[in-house]
Each structure stands twice: as structure tokens, then as C-alpha cells.
Amino acid sequence: MRRPSVKSMFGANEQTRQAGPIGHRILFVTSEIADFVKVGGLGDVSAALPRALARRHDVRVLIPGYREVLDQVQDLEWVATLPAHADIPSCDLARCFTRDGLQIYVLLQQHLYERCGTPYLSPEGDDWHDNDLRFGRLSLAAAEIAGGIDPDWRPQVVHANDWPTALAPAYLAWRGARVPTVFTIHNLAYQGLFNRGSLGRLGIPDAAFHVNGLEFYDRVSFMKAGIFYASHVTTVSQTYAREITRPEAGCGLDGLLRTRCAEGRLSGILNGIDEQWDPRSEPQLYRNFEAGDWTGKKQNAAAVRRRFGLAVSRGPLFAVVSRLVEQKGIDLIIETVDDIISAGGQIVVTGTGERHLERRIEELVERHPGQVGAHIGFDEAEAKNVFAGSDFLLMPSRFEPCGLSQMYAQRYGSLPIAHRVGGLADSIRDGVDGLLFQSASASSFCGALVRAFGLFAEKGRLNRMRRTAMGRTVGWKEACSDYELVYARAVGNG
Ligand code: ADP
Ligand code: GLC
């Protein structure tokens, strides 16, 4: 396996000197970034938000040195060796720049990170057995950077994301460091739960294994640690911020989240999408088009039909671009497929996920040849073509912290049909730039599908809605201003 060259460099290099702090020095810690490796929306957000913030702040991103990262980065500079802690092995910290100048810290630990599989799962689809150590290592490295291990740079605020980075605020607190931390929940349902044995492995002080700490029903919860120890907690939409303070969506942490909310330490900030996702200029699109060019959109639809083996049709084309997991309401889609086909619609599915859902999708393709097409796998160029070619995107998520696919779909003139929850409720206006339905049941979903068929038959209204959806500005500007307020408050001058 090729390893990058690690140059020993202690002094500040030219780029570091030029980067000088404008606003705050922010360390953004994440387990995925779309530049190198992406499992879902967190990867997109981790690529876009730090770049948007970097216009006014000195931002650096910390990621594990997965194989995909090492295969793609160039000119890694060695920064420091981080010592072992309990069973967490020592590792090297290096840094590099992306082509467009984003500064990245990469954690080099061959044994922990250089594997085939996803950041979280083995190729067989099981959690990596040592995920506590892998992500304990990542979190601890963030705390060490905040503690000053890089002689050239020390953040004023650490921004951790989701459970894999959630021990960062905790390690800082246990070390008595006073660096403020912001912890963003992208999905409360993935908590990073481990048995008691992890306490010793991760060098966690005994006193922290407590209801006022990271203990969760006799287990170690990374997610709870993030919520408990961070100076401020955010999540990715306002509606989800409210939902998680209630038992139905609180995943057992609603009590603590209610406390944070009452203290004014929980906020919802809706994600944006990258402005480069643009059907007018996207180079990977079969045919570029803009609002009003409905012939261009039709040509993309024809290309998608060909690519997915669908028959020529004048009916609506429904799309699913999703991780195939329970959260996304895939079972509701499966339940309504027969109705969609018999009403004259067709469906394309692209995504990967739980094996049993992948298999059920494949069965649908066999049952409805020429009417249902699927690619089990994920390819971003294909996803963009599907957004561009489809008339509607199906997103009957049972819960959805934010959701990005519905916003991409809007940008590409595909109207989302979505359950009115979380970020879907905050980013879709029913009957204006998408369709919302009230409850996660097949009958409620079917009601919205009936409306979609009606809308498809009324081209004037359909095209007006498409135009509105495509014209929405959902960049990162607003979210950045909100995060800036959170950072300013966390560092004590907001
Ligand atoms: P989530 O993060 O819950 O999967 P989002 O809607 O926030 O949902 O983000 C989905 C992002 O991930 C989009 O960029 C989408 O194109 C992409 N995506 C969807 N399915 C997959 C998949 N199976 N593998 C990788 N990326 C995917
Ligand atoms: C999570 C959520 C999704 C959100 C994404 C980015 O994966 O499931 O709703 O859009 O994170 O914040």
C-alpha cells in the first residue's frame, strides 16, 4: 500500500502564515468528508461548511487517515506524534491542503484506519469491533490539538460532529482544558454505545461513568458525552432540535436535551447545500438545463430511463436517492410501489444500505421489469442525473434531522414528496416547492402520491412549482451566520 511522504516540519510554512486569523480559529472534527470519503450527508456538510466558514475564519478540519484519504492526499507534512493513552495507540498527526486551499489535519494510524470497508463498517457490514478505539483516537487527537500539540496553531473553538467525534469535548473537560466546544448532532439515532470495558480502554475517569456524565443504561455513550460536555449543542434543523427534546425522537437522551434547551445551549441550524450543485453547469449531467427549459429536463428523464432499463413513458418518474435504511421509510416506498406503477408512474432507486432492503428493492425490479429500475451502489454523478431526470423525489423518512437529498432534488427541478418531520418540514413548503404528508404511514404517503399524479397532469402548476424549487437559495450563508453566533457565544464574546 502506498503511504504518503511525511515530511518532518516544525516551523510555520508559507501558507500557514498567510492564513492568519480573520475571525475565530476553528477546528472542525469529522469522521467523513466528501472530498475523500462519504457515507451520507455528514460528508457533504463536512466538505461545505468549513469551506464556507473559511471565508471569514481560520478553519482546519481533522479527519482519520483512512485508506481513501491517503490514496488521494499529497504532500502531507508531519506535525506531531500523539502519545498513547490507555489502549488508544499513539499516532502521527500530519497536515495538508486540498486543491482549493482547505487545511486538513490527518491522523495517521495504520492499524486503526487503513482498512477496506466504510469508516464505520467492515466489508461484511458489521461495526468495526474497535470503533471505540478508532473514534476515541480521533476525539482525543482533537483535544490534543486544542491543548496545543501543534506549535503553530491552536483553535479557539473545537466543533465536533456526531458520535465519532463526541469524546472530544469530554477529553477536554477531563483534562481541565478551557477550550470551548460546539457539538453538532447530525443524527441522534447513531449513538456510539459500548460496554463498560471501553472505560478502561479509552482511559475514561471512573467518575464520568455516571448519569451526569457519559453513562447510558450501564453503557458508555459517545453521543451522550458530546451532549453532556460540550459548551453548546446544535443540530441540523430547528424542527429536529424541538423533536429531540421529546421522548418519541429523543432516543433516550431527551431529558438531557430538554435541560440543554432550557439553558439556552441547544440550537437548530438548517444545513445548506453546495452552490456548485447546479443543473446549469454540472459537467456530469447528461444535458445541462435551467428553470424553464423543460425540454432539457425531459432529455435527462429519457437518459435516466435508458440507463435504468425503463420503458419509454409519458407518466411521472419517481426517484429514490438514499441510504437504504429504516430511517428513510424505504418500507413505505416498497408498500406503495404497486399503486405507483398501476397509476402510470415509474420508479428509479439508487443507493446502498441494509442488505434486506437492498434485496427487496431488487425483487421489485424483477416484479416490474421496465417500470422499476435500481442500482444498488452509490455514485454521485448518477445521483445528480437521477435528480435531473426525475419528476419527484420520494423521501418518506420516519425521522430526518435535516436531509440534503430533498434540497438537491429541488435544485434539479425534482419535487420532493416528504414526511413533514425535521429538516424536511423546514426546507419544503407544501404545494409550493414540494409535497408534504403528515404521518409515517402508507395511507398518508399515498395521499401525497395521489396529489403528485394530479399535479403532474396540470403542467402549468407543475412547472411553476419546479421553477420555485429550482430558484430557492439554500447556500451556506445563513447557516454560517448562525454558527458564527454560536462560536462567538462559546468563546465568550457573543
Ligand atoms: P443521510 O445523511 O441521512 O444519508 P442526507 O439527505 O442528509 O441523508 O444526505 C444524503 C447524501 O448522501 C446526499 O449527498 C446523497 O446523494 C448521498 N447518498 C445517498 N445515498 C448514499 C449512499 N448509499 N452512499 C453514499 N452517499 C449516499
Ligand atoms: C445525517 C442525517 C441527515 C442530515 C445529515 C447532515 O446523516 O440523517 O438528515 O442531513 O446528517 O447533517
Side-chain angles (χ1 to χ4, degrees), residues 47 129 230 296 413 457:
H129 70 280

Side-chain angles (χ1 to χ4, degrees), residues 146-340:
I149 200 129
D150 180 348
D152 294 335
W153 192 84
R154 192 171 177 161
Q156 291 166 293
V157 55
V158 174
H159 185 165
N161 293 276
D162 264 353
W163 78 263
T165 65
L167 285 191
Y171 278 119
L172 279 166
W174 298 328
R175 291 175 171 214
R178 296 169 61 88
V179 182
T181 49
V182 173
F183 176 60
T184 297
I185 301 169
H186 294 263
N187 194 336
L188 191 64
Y190 299 99
Q191 299 204 346
L193 289 174
F194 300 93
N195 63 32
R196 263 168 183 268
S198 291
L199 284 175
R201 282 155 64 81
L202 298 171
I204 294 173
D206 288 341
F209 195 63
H210 188 271
V211 61
N212 288 314
L214 50 56
E215 187 256 346
F216 184 77
Y217 298 101
D218 208 33
R219 301 183 79 189
V220 173
S221 166
F222 274 46
M223 180 60 88
K224 186 175 173 195
I227 299 168
F228 187 82
Y229 291 103
S231 323
H232 195 94
V233 178
T234 72
T235 186
V236 286
S237 68
Q238 287 186 356
T239 297
Y240 191 60
R242 282 193 299 278
E243 288 168 352
I244 57 177
T245 62
R246 297 196 283 263
E248 308 81 61
C251 303
L253 291 168
D254 44 293
L256 176 58
L257 287 160
R258 273 196 298 282
T259 306
R260 288 293 171 268
C261 182
E263 294 164 341
R265 291 166 62 197
L266 171 66
S267 342
I269 302 178
L270 191 71
N271 290 326
I273 55 170
D274 197 319
E275 274 145 40
Q276 282 176 358
W277 282 69
D278 189 335
R280 289 170 300 186
S281 51
E282 172 55 56
Q284 292 174 307
L285 221 55
Y286 174 73
R287 160 89 208 258
N288 289 114
F289 70 105
E290 59 182 355
D293 174 12
W294 308 128
T295 310
K297 184 148 175 80
K298 261 195 200 140
Q299 289 172 344
N300 283 303
V304 170
R305 284 191 164 97
R306 278 195 300 276
R307 172 131 175 72
F308 282 80
L310 297 187
V312 174
S313 162
R314 297 172 69 88
L317 182 57
F318 296 86
V320 179
V321 178
S322 180
R323 289 184 297 117
L324 302 176
V325 295
E326 151 99 19
Q327 172 194 347
K328 303 292 178 180
I330 304 297
D331 53 323
L332 292 179
I333 296 173
I334 292 170
E335 257 186 80
T336 49
V337 161
D338 290 356
D339 293 337
I340 293 177

Side-chain angles (χ1 to χ4, degrees), residues 115-130:
R115 304 175 178 179
C116 297
T118 81
Y120 317 110
L121 305 176
S122 70
E124 293 72 43
D126 304 316
D127 286 342
W128 292 113
H129 70 280
D130 55 352

Side-chain angles (χ1 to χ4, degrees), residues 56-186:
R56 286 161 47 86
H57 302 270
D58 182 0
V59 186
R60 299 189 183 186
V61 179
L62 170 65
I63 54 169
Y66 307 118
R67 206 175 263 188
E68 298 86 336
V69 175
L70 302 187
D71 284 346
Q72 293 175 72
V73 297
Q74 279 160 2
D75 299 329
L76 272 180
E77 282 174 15
W78 181 86
V79 174
T81 297
L82 312 185
H85 174 74
D87 290 352
I88 298 179
S90 78
C91 68
D92 282 316
L93 180 69
R95 78 175 160 219
C96 64
F97 288 86
T98 59
R99 257 187 230 113
D100 61 344
L102 182 68
Q103 192 154 181
I104 312 261
Y105 282 115
V106 183
L107 267 191
L108 302 175
Q109 222 303 334
Q110 184 174 11
H111 181 65
L112 293 184
Y113 302 128
E114 295 181 39
R115 304 175 178 179
C116 297
T118 81
Y120 317 110
L121 305 176
S122 70
E124 293 72 43
D126 304 316
D127 286 342
W128 292 113
H129 70 280
D130 55 352
N131 269 348
D132 56 343
L133 291 180
R134 299 173 70 243
F135 295 116
R137 179 65 275 176
L138 176 63
S139 301
L140 181 58
E144 286 166 313
I145 296 171
I149 200 129
D150 180 348
D152 294 335
W153 192 84
R154 192 171 177 161
Q156 291 166 293
V157 55
V158 174
H159 185 165
N161 293 276
D162 264 353
W163 78 263
T165 65
L167 285 191
Y171 278 119
L172 279 166
W174 298 328
R175 291 175 171 214
R178 296 169 61 88
V179 182
T181 49
V182 173
F183 176 60
T184 297
I185 301 169
H186 294 263

Side-chain angles (χ1 to χ4, degrees), residues 355-368 372 374-376:
R355 293 270 151 83
H356 72 106
L357 291 174
E358 293 182 354
R359 266 200 298 273
R360 289 184 68 189
I361 298 284
E362 283 163 349
E363 282 161 20
L364 287 177
V365 176
E366 280 167 32
R367 208 165 72 221
H368 299 283
V372 180
H375 285 154
I376 303 299

